Amino acid sequence: MGGSSPCASCKLLRRRCAKDCIFAPYFPSDDPHKFAIVHKVFGASNVSKMLQELPVHQRADAVSSLVYEANARVRDPVYGCVGAISFLQNQVSQLEMQLAVAQAEILCIQMQQEPNLPTHQIDQVDKSLLLSTNNFDDNNIPQYLSFASSSNVIQDPLKRESLWT
Amino acid sequence: MSNSTRCAACKSLRRRCSKDCVLAPYFPPTNPQRFACVHKIFGASNTTKMLEQLPLHLRAVAADCMSFEASSRVEDPVYGSVGIISQLQEQIIKAQSELVKTKGEIAFHNAQQQLQQQQMQQLQMIHTIAQEGEDQPSWLSSSQQDPFPNVNQQLLEDYNYSNTFCGFEF
C-alpha cells in the first residue's frame, strides 16, 4: 500500500499491506475491531479464500454479513445467528396464526352479509373449518431449524435499524 | 479411536483420532459433509477452540448451529445465514401489514353493522310512535285541537313524521 497506512487486517497480522491486499477495501485501519472479530471466528485465511471466490461487486456485502455473523457468535457462543433465526421464525408463525384467525373472521362476516344464505347455516360454520380451507400464498417459509430461540442477537444485518432486545 | 473409527474431522485432517478428540462426538464419520462445511468456513482450529470454551452439555447444540451456519454460507457465499434473517424480517413486516389491514376491515364491518342496527332501532321507534298516534283519535278528530283541520288522515300518514310532530313536546 506504498506509503499509506496498512489496513486493519495487515496491522493485526503484522504483515506488509500490499497494493492489491484483498482485505484493504473492507477493513480500514480506523476500525480494527471489525477485522479482529472476523479473524477470531472465521480466521483470516478462510475469509481471504471466501472473498477471492466472489466477484468484486459482492465482496462488500459478504464482508458485512461475515462481520454480523462473527458478532452474533461472539455474543452468543452457543447459538450465534441461529438463535435470531429461531426467534424470528417463531414470530412469523405467530403472526401467520393471527392473520389466519382474522381472515377467518372476515369470511364469517362476509358470509353473514350474503343475503341468500340462511342464517342458521352461517352460524354453524366452524371457524376451524374455514382455517383449514384458507389458502395462504406466502406460507412458503421453510422450517430451518427447531432450536430454542435466543433473542439477544437480533439486529438488522445490513440496512435497517437495530432491533436489539 | 482406531484408524477405522476416526471421526469425520480427523479423517478429513488425516490425523489420529484420539480418545478425547473434542470434535469426535459432534462430527461422526457417517456425515463427512457436515465437517467439510464447518472446516471450510470456520476452520478446524477455530471450531475446536469455540467448542472447548463451552461446557460439555452445550457443545452439541453449538456444533449443530455452527454446522447450520457453515452450510448456509456454502449455499449462499455472499449472505449466508444472514440472508435468512433478512428474509424472515421482511416476512414479518409483510405479515404485520396484512394483519393490520385485515383487522381494519373487521373493524369497518363491525362499525357498519352497528350503525345499521342503530338506524333500524330508530326507524322502529318512529314507526311505533306513528302507530300510537294513529290509535289516538281525540285530537285528530277534534277540530279545536287539530293543528291540521283541513288535512285528511291519508295525507297525515304520507307526511314526513319529523314535520308532523314539530312543535309537540315528547
Side-chain angles (χ1 to χ4, degrees), chain B residues 52-69:
Chain B
E52 273 175 341
Q53 285 167 2
L54 295 171
L56 270 172
H57 68 281
L58 290 175
R59 289 184 190 179
V61 175
D64 284 343
C65 291
M66 287 173 70
S67 175
F68 177 83
E69 282 180 36

Side-chain angles (χ1 to χ4, degrees), chain B residues 22 47-55 59:
Chain B
V22 173
T47 307
T48 305
K49 270 188 230 167
M50 285 193 267
L51 288 179
E52 273 175 341
Q53 285 167 2
L54 295 171
R59 289 184 190 179

Side-chain angles (χ1 to χ4, degrees), chain A residues 58-86:
Chain A
Q58 287 184 325
R59 289 179 186 175
D61 278 353
V63 165
S64 295
S65 65
L66 284 169
V67 170
Y68 180 87
E69 269 193 55
N71 273 310
R73 187 137 287 280
V74 165
R75 275 189 217 110
D76 187 346
V78 180
Y79 294 100
C81 261
V82 171
I85 291 174
S86 186

Side-chain angles (χ1 to χ4, degrees), chain A residues 40-102:
Chain A
K40 180 177 178 175
V41 175
F42 297 104
S45 170
N46 290 334
V47 174
S48 173
K49 278 185 218 164
M50 284 191 256
L51 291 180
Q52 275 168 6
E53 286 170 7
L54 291 171
V56 175
H57 68 277
Q58 287 184 325
R59 289 179 186 175
D61 278 353
V63 165
S64 295
S65 65
L66 284 169
V67 170
Y68 180 87
E69 269 193 55
N71 273 310
R73 187 137 287 280
V74 165
R75 275 189 217 110
D76 187 346
V78 180
Y79 294 100
C81 261
V82 171
I85 291 174
S86 186
F87 179 81
L88 291 171
Q89 270 192 320
N90 282 341
Q91 274 200 317
V92 169
S93 300
Q94 282 174 19
L95 279 168
E96 289 206 327
M97 183 76 76
Q98 289 173 27
L99 189 57
V101 168

Side-chain angles (χ1 to χ4, degrees), chain B residues 124-144:
Chain B
Q124 273 175 0
M125 196 171 72
I126 289 167
H127 184 72
T128 307
I129 292 170
Q131 285 286 345
E132 283 171 6
E134 284 173 19
D135 292 343
Q136 279 184 1
S138 54
W139 69 268
L140 281 175
S141 56
S142 162
S143 60
Q144 287 174 359

Side-chain angles (χ1 to χ4, degrees), chain B residues 114-125:
Chain B
Q114 211 174 13
L115 185 66
Q116 279 171 2
Q117 278 173 359
Q118 280 174 359
Q119 284 174 343
M120 282 299 296
Q121 282 171 358
Q122 283 172 358
L123 279 172
Q124 273 175 0
M125 196 171 72

Side-chain angles (χ1 to χ4, degrees), chain B residues 76 96 110 113 117 133 151:
Chain B
D76 184 353
Q96 280 173 338
N110 288 341
Q113 215 172 15
Q117 278 173 359
V151 179

